[in-house]
Amino acid sequence: QVHLQEWGAGPLKPSETLTLTCAVYGGSLSGYYWSWIRQPPGKGLEWIGEINHSGSTTYNPSLRSRLAISVDTSKRQVSLRLTSVTATDTAVYYCARLVRFLGGNYFDPWGQGTLVIVSS
Amino acid sequence: SVLTQPPSASGTPGQTVTISCSGSSSNIGGNTVNWYQQLPGTAPTLLIYADNQRPSGIPDRFSGSKSGTSASLAISGLQSEDEADYYCAAWDDSLIGRLFGGGTRLTVL
């Protein structure tokens, strides 16, 4: 059974770069897309972007200029890099497997999430 | 949010509650809808996919439907453990990205 685990650095200051990693346990990266989704405290979910095992990416247009998602198939890890962070980037960041099939797609499973705080 | 959900819903044990998700032709109208359940303090989990399909392990008390540019999640035989936030989601052809609804907090009275 696939299990996802996210981690990243501690509190950030405005203008710094956020880097997070998601490790995939119990399954292969091939055949799936791997997504990042975030949730500001007390608010709803926002899709950030996704990548497949070959490195093909799709980003949320609102974040594209600051965002880079990469994959390391040898380590079975997916990474997120978000530059020039502000307080509005404070959120729980989740990674999730995107299952695609004829007619649709869905996120399953999700990692437990990691809280990122941006504060001066 | 481009996908509009009521911020809250409530019901008593045993009742049926329906949560709506309203969109447009570029998202719900042309793509499948998924629903996610987020229990307090936990990560979201898949509840319904492809408009009305239940993953294994999801009770048949949960059902999804779609008509035109709107989708609905129905929960029958409401239980206290159903108290959670519920999110609809769909791909948007105009945004070229994935959308979530604003979420609906379900309270079991």
Side-chain angles (χ1 to χ4, degrees), chain A residues 37 39 43-47 50 58-61 94 98 100-101 103-108 110-112, chain B residues 31-32 34 36 38 42-46 48-50 85 87 89 91 95-102:
Chain A
I37 298 150
Q39 184 173 36
K43 297 188 177 180
L45 302 167
E46 179 184 29
W47 172 74
E50 60 203 34
T58 305
Y59 295 156
N60 186 322
Y94 297 100
L98 180 70
R100 304 173 82 176
F101 59 96
N105 47 68
Y106 54 82
F107 297 116
D108 182 63
W110 297 56
Q112 88 286 352
Chain B
N31 298 287
T32 57
N34 305 320
Y36 299 91
Q38 187 175 31
T42 69
T45 58
L46 179 66
I48 296 287
Y49 69 96
D85 293 329
Y87 294 90
W91 174 265
L95 175 70
I96 312 181
R98 304 188 188 282
L99 294 174
F100 288 96

mmCIF file of all heavy atoms in Angstrom, chain A residues 37 39 43-47 50 58-61 94 98 100-101 103-108 110-112, chain B residues 31-32 34 36 38 42-46 48-50 85 87 89 91 95-102:
data_model
loop_
_atom_site.group_PDB
_atom_site.id
_atom_site.type_symbol
_atom_site.label_atom_id
_atom_site.label_comp_id
_atom_site.label_asym_id
_atom_site.label_seq_id
_atom_site.Cartn_x
_atom_site.Cartn_y
_atom_site.Cartn_z
ATOM 1 N N ILE A 37 -0.518 19.964 -2.936
ATOM 2 C CA ILE A 37 -1.744 20.681 -2.597
ATOM 3 C C ILE A 37 -1.499 21.348 -1.255
ATOM 4 O O ILE A 37 -0.828 20.775 -0.396
ATOM 5 C CB ILE A 37 -2.934 19.691 -2.488
ATOM 6 C CG1 ILE A 37 -3.176 18.999 -3.833
ATOM 7 C CG2 ILE A 37 -4.201 20.399 -2.017
ATOM 8 C CD1 ILE A 37 -3.751 17.609 -3.714
ATOM 9 N N GLN A 39 -3.059 23.982 2.108
ATOM 10 C CA GLN A 39 -4.245 24.416 2.847
ATOM 11 C C GLN A 39 -3.833 25.426 3.899
ATOM 12 O O GLN A 39 -3.280 25.043 4.940
ATOM 13 C CB GLN A 39 -4.935 23.216 3.491
ATOM 14 C CG GLN A 39 -6.230 23.545 4.207
ATOM 15 C CD GLN A 39 -6.953 22.295 4.672
ATOM 16 O OE1 GLN A 39 -6.341 21.309 5.072
ATOM 17 N NE2 GLN A 39 -8.286 22.318 4.622
ATOM 18 N N LYS A 43 -8.537 27.338 6.242
ATOM 19 C CA LYS A 43 -9.098 27.611 4.913
ATOM 20 C C LYS A 43 -9.161 26.341 4.070
ATOM 21 O O LYS A 43 -8.896 25.240 4.545
ATOM 22 C CB LYS A 43 -8.266 28.687 4.210
ATOM 23 C CG LYS A 43 -8.292 30.027 4.931
ATOM 24 C CD LYS A 43 -7.635 31.109 4.112
ATOM 25 C CE LYS A 43 -7.728 32.451 4.808
ATOM 26 N NZ LYS A 43 -7.093 33.547 4.022
ATOM 27 N N GLY A 44 -9.530 26.510 2.805
ATOM 28 C CA GLY A 44 -9.726 25.384 1.920
ATOM 29 C C GLY A 44 -8.461 24.941 1.209
ATOM 30 O O GLY A 44 -7.363 25.440 1.452
ATOM 31 N N LEU A 45 -8.634 23.984 0.310
ATOM 32 C CA LEU A 45 -7.528 23.365 -0.404
ATOM 33 C C LEU A 45 -7.204 24.117 -1.692
ATOM 34 O O LEU A 45 -8.106 24.613 -2.377
ATOM 35 C CB LEU A 45 -7.894 21.915 -0.740
ATOM 36 C CG LEU A 45 -8.237 21.017 0.441
ATOM 37 C CD1 LEU A 45 -8.871 19.716 -0.043
ATOM 38 C CD2 LEU A 45 -6.993 20.723 1.265
ATOM 39 N N GLU A 46 -5.919 24.177 -2.007
ATOM 40 C CA GLU A 46 -5.462 24.791 -3.260
ATOM 41 C C GLU A 46 -4.475 23.863 -3.941
ATOM 42 O O GLU A 46 -3.464 23.480 -3.350
ATOM 43 C CB GLU A 46 -4.801 26.149 -2.996
ATOM 44 C CG GLU A 46 -4.295 26.818 -4.277
ATOM 45 C CD GLU A 46 -3.552 28.110 -4.028
ATOM 46 O OE1 GLU A 46 -2.936 28.240 -2.948
ATOM 47 O OE2 GLU A 46 -3.571 28.990 -4.901
ATOM 48 N N TRP A 47 -4.756 23.505 -5.185
ATOM 49 C CA TRP A 47 -3.842 22.689 -5.972
ATOM 50 C C TRP A 47 -2.647 23.533 -6.388
ATOM 51 O O TRP A 47 -2.809 24.660 -6.874
ATOM 52 C CB TRP A 47 -4.575 22.153 -7.191
ATOM 53 C CG TRP A 47 -3.720 21.464 -8.191
ATOM 54 C CD1 TRP A 47 -3.166 20.217 -8.087
ATOM 55 C CD2 TRP A 47 -3.331 21.954 -9.474
ATOM 56 N NE1 TRP A 47 -2.455 19.916 -9.221
ATOM 57 C CE2 TRP A 47 -2.538 20.962 -10.086
ATOM 58 C CE3 TRP A 47 -3.575 23.138 -10.163
ATOM 59 C CZ2 TRP A 47 -1.986 21.130 -11.358
ATOM 60 C CZ3 TRP A 47 -3.034 23.308 -11.427
ATOM 61 C CH2 TRP A 47 -2.252 22.300 -12.013
ATOM 62 N N GLU A 50 1.825 19.431 -10.293
ATOM 63 C CA GLU A 50 2.066 18.001 -10.324
ATOM 64 C C GLU A 50 3.158 17.645 -11.324
ATOM 65 O O GLU A 50 3.505 18.441 -12.206
ATOM 66 C CB GLU A 50 0.771 17.256 -10.677
ATOM 67 C CG GLU A 50 0.183 17.632 -12.021
ATOM 68 C CD GLU A 50 -1.304 17.353 -12.124
ATOM 69 O OE1 GLU A 50 -2.021 17.474 -11.121
ATOM 70 O OE2 GLU A 50 -1.753 17.019 -13.246
ATOM 71 N N THR A 58 2.745 20.139 -14.567
ATOM 72 C CA THR A 58 1.645 21.081 -14.764
ATOM 73 C C THR A 58 1.538 21.892 -13.494
ATOM 74 O O THR A 58 1.495 21.322 -12.401
ATOM 75 C CB THR A 58 0.314 20.363 -15.035
ATOM 76 O OG1 THR A 58 0.456 19.476 -16.141
ATOM 77 C CG2 THR A 58 -0.779 21.373 -15.357
ATOM 78 N N TYR A 59 1.513 23.219 -13.642
ATOM 79 C CA TYR A 59 1.517 24.098 -12.481
ATOM 80 C C TYR A 59 0.243 24.933 -12.420
ATOM 81 O O TYR A 59 -0.348 25.283 -13.452
ATOM 82 C CB TYR A 59 2.712 25.054 -12.528
ATOM 83 C CG TYR A 59 4.074 24.412 -12.416
ATOM 84 C CD1 TYR A 59 5.197 25.059 -12.937
ATOM 85 C CD2 TYR A 59 4.259 23.187 -11.794
ATOM 86 C CE1 TYR A 59 6.466 24.506 -12.845
ATOM 87 C CE2 TYR A 59 5.521 22.612 -11.697
ATOM 88 C CZ TYR A 59 6.616 23.280 -12.222
ATOM 89 O OH TYR A 59 7.868 22.718 -12.125
ATOM 90 N N ASN A 60 -0.143 25.301 -11.210
ATOM 91 C CA ASN A 60 -1.199 26.289 -11.019
ATOM 92 C C ASN A 60 -0.708 27.615 -11.610
ATOM 93 O O ASN A 60 0.356 28.107 -11.231
ATOM 94 C CB ASN A 60 -1.491 26.436 -9.527
ATOM 95 C CG ASN A 60 -2.684 27.338 -9.252
ATOM 96 O OD1 ASN A 60 -2.893 28.351 -9.911
ATOM 97 N ND2 ASN A 60 -3.461 26.960 -8.246
ATOM 98 N N PRO A 61 -1.477 28.186 -12.539
ATOM 99 C CA PRO A 61 -1.020 29.430 -13.175
ATOM 100 C C PRO A 61 -0.696 30.545 -12.177
ATOM 101 O O PRO A 61 0.197 31.358 -12.436
ATOM 102 C CB PRO A 61 -2.201 29.814 -14.073
ATOM 103 C CG PRO A 61 -2.879 28.524 -14.371
ATOM 104 C CD PRO A 61 -2.731 27.703 -13.135
ATOM 105 N N TYR A 94 0.491 19.343 1.359
ATOM 106 C CA TYR A 94 0.285 17.913 1.192
ATOM 107 C C TYR A 94 0.855 17.459 -0.145
ATOM 108 O O TYR A 94 0.761 18.182 -1.145
ATOM 109 C CB TYR A 94 -1.214 17.572 1.163
ATOM 110 C CG TYR A 94 -1.985 17.875 2.418
ATOM 111 C CD1 TYR A 94 -2.765 19.024 2.528
ATOM 112 C CD2 TYR A 94 -1.982 16.981 3.489
ATOM 113 C CE1 TYR A 94 -3.508 19.286 3.659
ATOM 114 C CE2 TYR A 94 -2.721 17.237 4.635
ATOM 115 C CZ TYR A 94 -3.479 18.393 4.710
ATOM 116 O OH TYR A 94 -4.213 18.645 5.842
ATOM 117 N N LEU A 98 -1.714 11.263 -7.911
ATOM 118 C CA LEU A 98 -2.825 11.506 -8.823
ATOM 119 C C LEU A 98 -3.027 10.259 -9.673
ATOM 120 O O LEU A 98 -2.151 9.868 -10.440
ATOM 121 C CB LEU A 98 -2.539 12.708 -9.719
ATOM 122 C CG LEU A 98 -3.643 13.039 -10.721
ATOM 123 C CD1 LEU A 98 -4.870 13.602 -10.003
ATOM 124 C CD2 LEU A 98 -3.142 14.031 -11.773
ATOM 125 N N ARG A 100 -4.799 8.615 -12.688
ATOM 126 C CA ARG A 100 -5.473 9.024 -13.912
ATOM 127 C C ARG A 100 -6.033 7.783 -14.601
ATOM 128 O O ARG A 100 -5.394 6.739 -14.646
ATOM 129 C CB ARG A 100 -4.504 9.738 -14.851
ATOM 130 C CG ARG A 100 -3.834 10.940 -14.199
ATOM 131 C CD ARG A 100 -2.756 11.545 -15.081
ATOM 132 N NE ARG A 100 -3.322 12.426 -16.064
ATOM 133 C CZ ARG A 100 -2.578 13.142 -16.910
ATOM 134 N NH1 ARG A 100 -1.276 13.039 -16.897
ATOM 135 N NH2 ARG A 100 -3.154 13.926 -17.789
ATOM 136 N N PHE A 101 -7.235 7.895 -15.100
ATOM 137 C CA PHE A 101 -7.863 6.795 -15.817
ATOM 138 C C PHE A 101 -8.732 7.388 -16.910
ATOM 139 O O PHE A 101 -8.983 8.599 -16.921
ATOM 140 C CB PHE A 101 -8.705 5.940 -14.874
ATOM 141 C CG PHE A 101 -9.796 6.702 -14.177
ATOM 142 C CD1 PHE A 101 -11.089 6.715 -14.665
ATOM 143 C CD2 PHE A 101 -9.525 7.425 -13.015
ATOM 144 C CE1 PHE A 101 -12.084 7.444 -14.035
ATOM 145 C CE2 PHE A 101 -10.516 8.154 -12.378
ATOM 146 C CZ PHE A 101 -11.797 8.163 -12.886
ATOM 147 N N GLY A 103 -11.433 8.906 -18.480
ATOM 148 C CA GLY A 103 -12.628 9.564 -17.960
ATOM 149 C C GLY A 103 -12.405 10.400 -16.724
ATOM 150 O O GLY A 103 -13.326 11.054 -16.253
ATOM 151 N N GLY A 104 -11.215 10.380 -16.181
ATOM 152 C CA GLY A 104 -11.016 11.232 -15.009
ATOM 153 C C GLY A 104 -9.730 10.970 -14.267
ATOM 154 O O GLY A 104 -8.831 10.291 -14.765
ATOM 155 N N ASN A 105 -9.669 11.501 -13.086
ATOM 156 C CA ASN A 105 -8.496 11.332 -12.230
ATOM 157 C C ASN A 105 -8.880 11.714 -10.812
ATOM 158 O O ASN A 105 -9.896 12.379 -10.591
ATOM 159 C CB ASN A 105 -7.343 12.205 -12.725
ATOM 160 C CG ASN A 105 -7.800 13.616 -13.008
ATOM 161 O OD1 ASN A 105 -8.143 14.353 -12.089
ATOM 162 N ND2 ASN A 105 -7.846 14.002 -14.268
ATOM 163 N N TYR A 106 -8.077 11.290 -9.856
ATOM 164 C CA TYR A 106 -8.356 11.641 -8.458
ATOM 165 C C TYR A 106 -7.083 11.542 -7.643
ATOM 166 O O TYR A 106 -6.120 10.875 -8.037
ATOM 167 C CB TYR A 106 -9.446 10.730 -7.863
ATOM 168 C CG TYR A 106 -9.181 9.252 -7.983
ATOM 169 C CD1 TYR A 106 -8.354 8.581 -7.074
ATOM 170 C CD2 TYR A 106 -9.774 8.501 -9.004
ATOM 171 C CE1 TYR A 106 -8.125 7.232 -7.182
ATOM 172 C CE2 TYR A 106 -9.539 7.144 -9.121
ATOM 173 C CZ TYR A 106 -8.724 6.508 -8.204
ATOM 174 O OH TYR A 106 -8.498 5.163 -8.318
ATOM 175 N N PHE A 107 -7.074 12.232 -6.491
ATOM 176 C CA PHE A 107 -5.942 12.207 -5.580
ATOM 177 C C PHE A 107 -6.151 11.098 -4.544
ATOM 178 O O PHE A 107 -7.089 11.133 -3.765
ATOM 179 C CB PHE A 107 -5.807 13.537 -4.831
ATOM 180 C CG PHE A 107 -5.525 14.717 -5.725
ATOM 181 C CD1 PHE A 107 -6.440 15.756 -5.827
ATOM 182 C CD2 PHE A 107 -4.346 14.790 -6.450
ATOM 183 C CE1 PHE A 107 -6.185 16.853 -6.635
ATOM 184 C CE2 PHE A 107 -4.083 15.888 -7.266
ATOM 185 C CZ PHE A 107 -5.007 16.914 -7.366
ATOM 186 N N ASP A 108 -5.238 10.137 -4.528
ATOM 187 C CA ASP A 108 -5.301 9.074 -3.535
ATOM 188 C C ASP A 108 -4.053 8.222 -3.620
ATOM 189 O O ASP A 108 -3.720 7.729 -4.699
ATOM 190 C CB ASP A 108 -6.536 8.177 -3.808
ATOM 191 C CG ASP A 108 -6.689 7.080 -2.763
ATOM 192 O OD1 ASP A 108 -6.888 7.429 -1.567
ATOM 193 O OD2 ASP A 108 -6.583 5.902 -3.128
ATOM 194 N N TRP A 110 -3.113 10.570 0.129
ATOM 195 C CA TRP A 110 -2.495 11.839 0.503
ATOM 196 C C TRP A 110 -1.464 11.574 1.605
ATOM 197 O O TRP A 110 -1.627 10.639 2.390
ATOM 198 C CB TRP A 110 -3.531 12.814 1.054
ATOM 199 C CG TRP A 110 -4.601 13.233 0.101
ATOM 200 C CD1 TRP A 110 -5.452 12.418 -0.599
ATOM 201 C CD2 TRP A 110 -4.982 14.565 -0.217
ATOM 202 N NE1 TRP A 110 -6.331 13.165 -1.346
ATOM 203 C CE2 TRP A 110 -6.070 14.499 -1.125
ATOM 204 C CE3 TRP A 110 -4.529 15.835 0.167
ATOM 205 C CZ2 TRP A 110 -6.687 15.634 -1.651
ATOM 206 C CZ3 TRP A 110 -5.142 16.959 -0.348
ATOM 207 C CH2 TRP A 110 -6.210 16.857 -1.252
ATOM 208 N N GLY A 111 -0.435 12.426 1.663
ATOM 209 C CA GLY A 111 0.453 12.391 2.801
ATOM 210 C C GLY A 111 -0.222 13.047 3.994
ATOM 211 O O GLY A 111 -1.322 13.599 3.877
ATOM 212 N N GLN A 112 0.451 13.004 5.131
ATOM 213 C CA GLN A 112 -0.158 13.580 6.341
ATOM 214 C C GLN A 112 -0.045 15.087 6.380
ATOM 215 O O GLN A 112 -0.707 15.741 7.184
ATOM 216 C CB GLN A 112 0.468 12.953 7.604
ATOM 217 C CG GLN A 112 1.708 13.643 8.121
ATOM 218 C CD GLN A 112 2.943 13.377 7.276
ATOM 219 O OE1 GLN A 112 2.926 12.553 6.364
ATOM 220 N NE2 GLN A 112 4.037 14.048 7.592
ATOM 221 N N ASN B 31 -15.969 17.818 -17.124
ATOM 222 C CA ASN B 31 -15.006 16.911 -16.494
ATOM 223 C C ASN B 31 -15.628 16.231 -15.271
ATOM 224 O O ASN B 31 -16.629 16.702 -14.727
ATOM 225 C CB ASN B 31 -13.761 17.692 -16.061
ATOM 226 C CG ASN B 31 -13.051 18.328 -17.238
ATOM 227 O OD1 ASN B 31 -12.411 17.651 -18.037
ATOM 228 N ND2 ASN B 31 -13.171 19.657 -17.350
ATOM 229 N N THR B 32 -15.013 15.135 -14.867
ATOM 230 C CA THR B 32 -15.575 14.403 -13.737
ATOM 231 C C THR B 32 -15.278 15.118 -12.417
ATOM 232 O O THR B 32 -14.336 15.908 -12.315
ATOM 233 C CB THR B 32 -15.035 12.972 -13.670
ATOM 234 O OG1 THR B 32 -13.607 13.022 -13.584
ATOM 235 C CG2 THR B 32 -15.444 12.176 -14.892
ATOM 236 N N ASN B 34 -14.734 14.832 -8.190
ATOM 237 C CA ASN B 34 -14.343 14.000 -7.056
ATOM 238 C C ASN B 34 -14.739 14.707 -5.764
ATOM 239 O O ASN B 34 -14.855 15.935 -5.729
ATOM 240 C CB ASN B 34 -12.834 13.761 -7.050
ATOM 241 C CG ASN B 34 -12.327 13.172 -8.347
ATOM 242 O OD1 ASN B 34 -12.965 12.302 -8.935
ATOM 243 N ND2 ASN B 34 -11.188 13.653 -8.808
ATOM 244 N N TYR B 36 -13.789 14.775 -1.510
ATOM 245 C CA TYR B 36 -12.837 14.405 -0.482
ATOM 246 C C TYR B 36 -13.418 14.741 0.887
ATOM 247 O O TYR B 36 -14.092 15.763 1.054
ATOM 248 C CB TYR B 36 -11.506 15.133 -0.683
ATOM 249 C CG TYR B 36 -10.861 14.802 -2.010
ATOM 250 C CD1 TYR B 36 -11.122 15.581 -3.131
ATOM 251 C CD2 TYR B 36 -10.032 13.694 -2.146
ATOM 252 C CE1 TYR B 36 -10.568 15.267 -4.366
ATOM 253 C CE2 TYR B 36 -9.472 13.373 -3.373
ATOM 254 C CZ TYR B 36 -9.756 14.160 -4.481
ATOM 255 O OH TYR B 36 -9.206 13.835 -5.699
ATOM 256 N N GLN B 38 -12.395 15.444 4.868
ATOM 257 C CA GLN B 38 -11.295 15.806 5.754
ATOM 258 C C GLN B 38 -11.802 15.809 7.183
ATOM 259 O O GLN B 38 -12.478 16.743 7.612
ATOM 260 C CB GLN B 38 -10.680 17.153 5.388
ATOM 261 C CG GLN B 38 -9.434 17.475 6.194
ATOM 262 C CD GLN B 38 -8.749 18.752 5.738
ATOM 263 O OE1 GLN B 38 -9.387 19.684 5.267
ATOM 264 N NE2 GLN B 38 -7.427 18.795 5.875
ATOM 265 N N THR B 42 -6.846 15.987 10.249
ATOM 266 C CA THR B 42 -6.242 14.960 9.401
ATOM 267 C C THR B 42 -6.168 15.436 7.956
ATOM 268 O O THR B 42 -6.756 16.449 7.583
ATOM 269 C CB THR B 42 -7.021 13.647 9.453
ATOM 270 O OG1 THR B 42 -8.288 13.825 8.815
ATOM 271 C CG2 THR B 42 -7.244 13.194 10.898
ATOM 272 N N ALA B 43 -5.453 14.671 7.145
ATOM 273 C CA ALA B 43 -5.378 14.960 5.714
ATOM 274 C C ALA B 43 -6.674 14.527 5.024
ATOM 275 O O ALA B 43 -7.377 13.637 5.501
ATOM 276 C CB ALA B 43 -4.189 14.217 5.099
ATOM 277 N N PRO B 44 -6.997 15.153 3.914
ATOM 278 C CA PRO B 44 -8.176 14.714 3.148
ATOM 279 C C PRO B 44 -8.014 13.288 2.654
ATOM 280 O O PRO B 44 -6.896 12.800 2.442
ATOM 281 C CB PRO B 44 -8.205 15.703 1.968
ATOM 282 C CG PRO B 44 -7.438 16.887 2.434
ATOM 283 C CD PRO B 44 -6.367 16.337 3.324
ATOM 284 N N THR B 45 -9.152 12.623 2.461
ATOM 285 C CA THR B 45 -9.165 11.288 1.862
ATOM 286 C C THR B 45 -10.222 11.252 0.769
ATOM 287 O O THR B 45 -11.228 11.979 0.824
ATOM 288 C CB THR B 45 -9.450 10.194 2.894
ATOM 289 O OG1 THR B 45 -10.702 10.462 3.527
ATOM 290 C CG2 THR B 45 -8.355 10.133 3.951
ATOM 291 N N LEU B 46 -10.008 10.388 -0.207
ATOM 292 C CA LEU B 46 -10.930 10.265 -1.329
ATOM 293 C C LEU B 46 -12.230 9.637 -0.877
ATOM 294 O O LEU B 46 -12.230 8.586 -0.219
ATOM 295 C CB LEU B 46 -10.287 9.419 -2.430
ATOM 296 C CG LEU B 46 -11.129 9.177 -3.684
ATOM 297 C CD1 LEU B 46 -11.354 10.489 -4.435
ATOM 298 C CD2 LEU B 46 -10.444 8.145 -4.576
ATOM 299 N N ILE B 48 -15.467 10.073 -3.126
ATOM 300 C CA ILE B 48 -16.181 9.747 -4.364
ATOM 301 C C ILE B 48 -15.295 10.181 -5.525
ATOM 302 O O ILE B 48 -14.701 11.271 -5.483
ATOM 303 C CB ILE B 48 -17.523 10.492 -4.473
ATOM 304 C CG1 ILE B 48 -18.497 10.064 -3.366
ATOM 305 C CG2 ILE B 48 -18.163 10.300 -5.860
ATOM 306 C CD1 ILE B 48 -19.092 8.675 -3.535
ATOM 307 N N TYR B 49 -15.182 9.363 -6.569
ATOM 308 C CA TYR B 49 -14.454 9.775 -7.754
ATOM 309 C C TYR B 49 -15.310 9.556 -8.996
ATOM 310 O O TYR B 49 -16.289 8.812 -8.946
ATOM 311 C CB TYR B 49 -13.109 9.051 -7.871
ATOM 312 C CG TYR B 49 -13.216 7.571 -8.184
ATOM 313 C CD1 TYR B 49 -13.114 7.101 -9.487
ATOM 314 C CD2 TYR B 49 -13.404 6.641 -7.155
ATOM 315 C CE1 TYR B 49 -13.203 5.760 -9.764
ATOM 316 C CE2 TYR B 49 -13.513 5.300 -7.422
ATOM 317 C CZ TYR B 49 -13.400 4.855 -8.730
ATOM 318 O OH TYR B 49 -13.492 3.516 -9.001
ATOM 319 N N ALA B 50 -14.940 10.203 -10.071
ATOM 320 C CA ALA B 50 -15.673 10.085 -11.332
ATOM 321 C C ALA B 50 -17.175 10.285 -11.144
ATOM 322 O O ALA B 50 -17.984 9.467 -11.607
ATOM 323 C CB ALA B 50 -15.379 8.731 -11.981
ATOM 324 N N ASP B 85 -15.055 18.157 7.090
ATOM 325 C CA ASP B 85 -15.122 19.084 5.957
ATOM 326 C C ASP B 85 -15.149 18.256 4.671
ATOM 327 O O ASP B 85 -14.403 17.277 4.534
ATOM 328 C CB ASP B 85 -13.923 20.019 5.951
ATOM 329 C CG ASP B 85 -13.926 20.976 7.134
ATOM 330 O OD1 ASP B 85 -15.024 21.355 7.597
ATOM 331 O OD2 ASP B 85 -12.828 21.336 7.598
ATOM 332 N N TYR B 87 -14.959 18.443 0.392
ATOM 333 C CA TYR B 87 -14.514 19.262 -0.730
ATOM 334 C C TYR B 87 -14.832 18.572 -2.051
ATOM 335 O O TYR B 87 -14.553 17.378 -2.210
ATOM 336 C CB TYR B 87 -13.005 19.488 -0.672
ATOM 337 C CG TYR B 87 -12.540 20.318 0.501
ATOM 338 C CD1 TYR B 87 -12.194 19.734 1.701
ATOM 339 C CD2 TYR B 87 -12.448 21.708 0.390
ATOM 340 C CE1 TYR B 87 -11.758 20.499 2.778
ATOM 341 C CE2 TYR B 87 -12.021 22.480 1.462
ATOM 342 C CZ TYR B 87 -11.679 21.870 2.649
ATOM 343 O OH TYR B 87 -11.254 22.637 3.706
ATOM 344 N N ALA B 89 -13.981 18.601 -6.227
ATOM 345 C CA ALA B 89 -12.807 18.943 -7.025
ATOM 346 C C ALA B 89 -13.045 18.536 -8.472
ATOM 347 O O ALA B 89 -13.707 17.534 -8.741
ATOM 348 C CB ALA B 89 -11.562 18.253 -6.476
ATOM 349 N N TRP B 91 -11.146 19.176 -12.724
ATOM 350 C CA TRP B 91 -10.220 19.843 -13.641
ATOM 351 C C TRP B 91 -10.970 20.981 -14.333
ATOM 352 O O TRP B 91 -12.164 20.860 -14.611
ATOM 353 C CB TRP B 91 -9.715 18.854 -14.679
ATOM 354 C CG TRP B 91 -8.867 19.474 -15.741
ATOM 355 C CD1 TRP B 91 -9.257 19.911 -16.971
ATOM 356 C CD2 TRP B 91 -7.458 19.739 -15.661
ATOM 357 N NE1 TRP B 91 -8.193 20.428 -17.665
ATOM 358 C CE2 TRP B 91 -7.074 20.341 -16.891
ATOM 359 C CE3 TRP B 91 -6.482 19.520 -14.684
ATOM 360 C CZ2 TRP B 91 -5.759 20.724 -17.143
ATOM 361 C CZ3 TRP B 91 -5.174 19.900 -14.950
ATOM 362 C CH2 TRP B 91 -4.829 20.489 -16.167
ATOM 363 N N LEU B 95 -8.785 27.228 -16.914
ATOM 364 C CA LEU B 95 -7.655 27.481 -16.019
ATOM 365 C C LEU B 95 -6.461 26.617 -16.399
ATOM 366 O O LEU B 95 -5.320 26.995 -16.183
ATOM 367 C CB LEU B 95 -8.062 27.159 -14.576
ATOM 368 C CG LEU B 95 -6.985 27.235 -13.498
ATOM 369 C CD1 LEU B 95 -6.581 28.679 -13.266
ATOM 370 C CD2 LEU B 95 -7.482 26.595 -12.203
ATOM 371 N N ILE B 96 -6.753 25.462 -17.015
ATOM 372 C CA ILE B 96 -5.749 24.421 -17.275
ATOM 373 C C ILE B 96 -5.110 24.051 -15.934
ATOM 374 O O ILE B 96 -3.894 24.141 -15.734
ATOM 375 C CB ILE B 96 -4.695 24.860 -18.305
ATOM 376 C CG1 ILE B 96 -5.371 25.473 -19.531
ATOM 377 C CG2 ILE B 96 -3.846 23.666 -18.737
ATOM 378 C CD1 ILE B 96 -4.422 25.925 -20.613
ATOM 379 N N GLY B 97 -5.978 23.675 -15.026
ATOM 380 C CA GLY B 97 -5.528 23.300 -13.699
ATOM 381 C C GLY B 97 -6.661 22.667 -12.916
ATOM 382 O O GLY B 97 -7.789 22.565 -13.401
ATOM 383 N N ARG B 98 -6.320 22.240 -11.720
ATOM 384 C CA ARG B 98 -7.293 21.548 -10.872
ATOM 385 C C ARG B 98 -7.883 22.517 -9.860
ATOM 386 O O ARG B 98 -7.172 23.356 -9.304
ATOM 387 C CB ARG B 98 -6.613 20.373 -10.156
ATOM 388 C CG ARG B 98 -5.958 19.442 -11.145
ATOM 389 C CD ARG B 98 -5.437 18.170 -10.550
ATOM 390 N NE ARG B 98 -4.676 17.453 -11.575
ATOM 391 C CZ ARG B 98 -5.224 16.755 -12.549
ATOM 392 N NH1 ARG B 98 -6.531 16.644 -12.621
ATOM 393 N NH2 ARG B 98 -4.483 16.156 -13.458
ATOM 394 N N LEU B 99 -9.176 22.368 -9.645
ATOM 395 C CA LEU B 99 -9.899 23.236 -8.732
ATOM 396 C C LEU B 99 -10.479 22.439 -7.583
ATOM 397 O O LEU B 99 -10.909 21.295 -7.756
ATOM 398 C CB LEU B 99 -11.053 23.930 -9.453
ATOM 399 C CG LEU B 99 -10.715 24.923 -10.552
ATOM 400 C CD1 LEU B 99 -12.009 25.370 -11.232
ATOM 401 C CD2 LEU B 99 -9.971 26.122 -9.981
ATOM 402 N N PHE B 100 -10.524 23.078 -6.418
ATOM 403 C CA PHE B 100 -11.269 22.565 -5.284
ATOM 404 C C PHE B 100 -12.378 23.553 -4.964
ATOM 405 O O PHE B 100 -12.210 24.772 -5.128
ATOM 406 C CB PHE B 100 -10.379 22.429 -4.049
ATOM 407 C CG PHE B 100 -9.393 21.298 -4.112
ATOM 408 C CD1 PHE B 100 -8.092 21.525 -4.531
ATOM 409 C CD2 PHE B 100 -9.761 20.012 -3.749
ATOM 410 C CE1 PHE B 100 -7.174 20.493 -4.596
ATOM 411 C CE2 PHE B 100 -8.850 18.973 -3.801
ATOM 412 C CZ PHE B 100 -7.554 19.211 -4.231
ATOM 413 N N GLY B 101 -13.496 23.031 -4.498
ATOM 414 C CA GLY B 101 -14.508 23.895 -3.933
ATOM 415 C C GLY B 101 -14.017 24.461 -2.617
ATOM 416 O O GLY B 101 -13.000 24.018 -2.068
ATOM 417 N N GLY B 102 -14.732 25.452 -2.098
ATOM 418 C CA GLY B 102 -14.322 26.094 -0.861
ATOM 419 C C GLY B 102 -14.485 25.231 0.373
ATOM 420 O O GLY B 102 -13.965 25.565 1.443
#
